[in-house]
């Protein structure tokens, strides 16, 4: 990894460390903050341990950084109580909830959308560089995995709510009385990932000369190689 790339990664790491420490001070609900960070710690450890063997692009590291910052804001206040309306009112004199007619805190919706919108691109890097996905599959598989992970997280939230009960469980779940909360969260994550993949495809279509050929090749049924057929042929 080039030194400039390492310095950029180190800069993002230091910035996130400062943000994490500041938001770890007197969170609104300490138990919920700890639960929200239960997945962040191993995720960051995984990034740190694999950054030499599999360094993401600067774009991917930046997108991951932005998502984690949003998540830490939600962990500090609990997602259902992030005072974004108060912040907007102090700047503009009006509130977003009043402007759009919202009746609930929408910060969790923003983060679920951002999960797909910000993390689908890093996921695509993994498929392209490790699984060597190309063409259609290089855009569909990141979308599919984003949807699957979003569903898995909703199951984790449900399990946590059952285990920890109405107090901590409700704070972690953040449904705010909406019976379709999980469906809307998964839908927004899917929408975010879809937009990112469409944007990435549009950019590659413009700059990649063999985009159309690669897309067509990825959907073509390739005949078996002769060597593979010989290996599979039963011996007499």
């Amino acid at each position: 990894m080039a030194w400039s790339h390492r310095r950029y990664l180190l800069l993002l790491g230091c910035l996130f460390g400062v943000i994490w420490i500041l938001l770890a001070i007197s969170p609104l609900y300490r138990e919920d903050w700890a639960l929200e960070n239960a997945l962040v710690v191993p995720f960051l450890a995984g990034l740190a341990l694999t950054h030499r063997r599999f360094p993401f692009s600067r774009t991917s590291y930046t997108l991951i950084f932005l998502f984690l910052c949003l998540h830490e804001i939600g962990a500090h206040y609990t997602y259902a109580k992030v005072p974004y309306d108060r912040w907007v009112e102090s700047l503009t004199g009006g509130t977003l909830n009043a402007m759009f007619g919202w009746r609930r805190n929408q910060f969790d919706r923003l983060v679920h959308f951002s999960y797909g919108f910000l993390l689908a691109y890093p996921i695509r890097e993994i498929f392209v560089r490790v699984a060597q996905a190309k063409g259609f599959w290089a855009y569909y598989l990141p979308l599919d995995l984003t949807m699957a992970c979003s569903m898995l997280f909703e199951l984790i939230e449900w399990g946590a709510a059952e285990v920890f009960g109405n107090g901590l469980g409700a704070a972690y779940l953040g449904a705010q009385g909406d019976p379709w909360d999980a469906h809307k969260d998964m839908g927004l994550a899917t929408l975010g990932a879809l937009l990112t993949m469409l944007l990435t495809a549009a950019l590659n279509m413009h700059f990649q000369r063999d985009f159309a050929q690669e897309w067509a090749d990825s959907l073509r049924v390739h005949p078996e190689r002769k060597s593979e057929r010989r290996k599979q042929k039963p011996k007499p």
Side-chain angles (χ1 to χ4, degrees), residues 32 59 92 96 108 116-117 125 130 152 159 166 206 235:
D32 180 65
T59 299
T92 66
L96 290 177
D108 64 325
F117 189 72
E125 275 197 22
V130 176
L152 179 61
N166 292 331
H206 180 73
K235 296 180 180 180

Side-chain angles (χ1 to χ4, degrees), residues 223-233:
E224 290 182 296
R225 296 178 181 176
K226 293 182 180 180
S227 60
E228 292 176 350
R229 288 201 297 268
R230 282 198 296 266
K231 289 180 182 179
Q232 296 174 1
K233 186 177 180 181

Side-chain angles (χ1 to χ4, degrees), residues 205-231:
M205 186 184 302
H206 180 73
F207 292 105
Q208 184 180 333
R209 293 183 178 180
D210 63 341
F211 178 87
Q213 185 62 48
E214 183 179 275
W215 187 281
D217 288 343
S218 70
L219 296 174
R220 183 177 294 119
V221 177
H222 296 277
E224 290 182 296
R225 296 178 181 176
K226 293 182 180 180
S227 60
E228 292 176 350
R229 288 201 297 268
R230 282 198 296 266
K231 289 180 182 179

Side-chain angles (χ1 to χ4, degrees), residues 18-234:
V18 171
I19 292 170
W20 187 89
I21 291 172
L22 292 175
L23 293 175
I25 299 173
S26 301
L28 192 62
Y29 194 171
R30 175 62 69 181
E31 290 80 3
D32 180 65
W33 175 88
L35 196 57
E36 294 286 2
N37 280 279
L39 294 177
V40 173
V41 173
F43 177 73
L44 290 176
L47 283 180
L49 291 173
T50 60
H51 80 280
R52 291 180 181 272
R53 187 173 181 179
F54 188 89
F56 284 97
S57 66
R58 291 188 184 185
T59 299
S60 287
Y61 279 127
T62 303
L63 294 173
I64 293 170
F65 167 78
L66 292 174
F67 174 76
L68 290 176
C69 288
L70 288 173
H71 175 72
E72 289 305 317
I73 293 173
H76 178 82
Y77 292 99
T78 75
Y79 274 91
K81 297 182 179 179
V82 175
Y84 63 84
D85 252 352
R86 194 170 67 218
W87 300 337
V88 173
E89 187 175 18
S90 66
L91 294 173
T92 66
T95 67
L96 290 177
N97 279 22
M99 184 184 303
F100 293 103
W102 295 334
R103 297 182 178 181
R104 72 188 296 280
N105 191 298
Q106 300 287 353
F107 189 80
D108 64 325
R109 301 276 194 252
L110 168 65
V111 176
H112 278 283
F113 173 80
S114 299
Y115 170 78
F117 189 72
L118 297 176
L119 297 189
Y121 187 86
I123 292 172
R124 182 179 185 274
E125 275 197 22
I126 297 174
F127 276 111
V128 170
R129 294 167 57 191
V130 176
Q132 297 183 345
K134 295 182 179 180
F136 169 80
W137 303 107
Y139 303 96
Y140 169 75
L141 291 174
L143 172 63
D144 186 60
L145 183 58
T146 302
M147 294 169 64
C149 290
S150 180
M151 177 272 296
L152 179 61
F153 185 74
E154 293 300 327
L155 293 177
I156 292 173
E157 283 189 334
W158 172 43
E162 290 290 336
V163 171
F164 296 110
N166 292 331
L168 177 57
Y172 185 67
L173 187 61
Q176 301 181 59
D178 186 352
W180 303 106
D181 179 71
H183 304 75
K184 293 175 182 177
D185 290 345
M186 289 186 288
L188 284 169
T190 301
L191 176 62
L194 178 61
L195 290 176
T196 294
M197 289 300 98
L198 288 175
L199 177 60
T200 304
L203 290 172
N204 287 339
M205 186 184 302
H206 180 73
F207 292 105
Q208 184 180 333
R209 293 183 178 180
D210 63 341
F211 178 87
Q213 185 62 48
E214 183 179 275
W215 187 281
D217 288 343
S218 70
L219 296 174
R220 183 177 294 119
V221 177
H222 296 277
E224 290 182 296
R225 296 178 181 176
K226 293 182 180 180
S227 60
E228 292 176 350
R229 288 201 297 268
R230 282 198 296 266
K231 289 180 182 179
Q232 296 174 1
K233 186 177 180 181

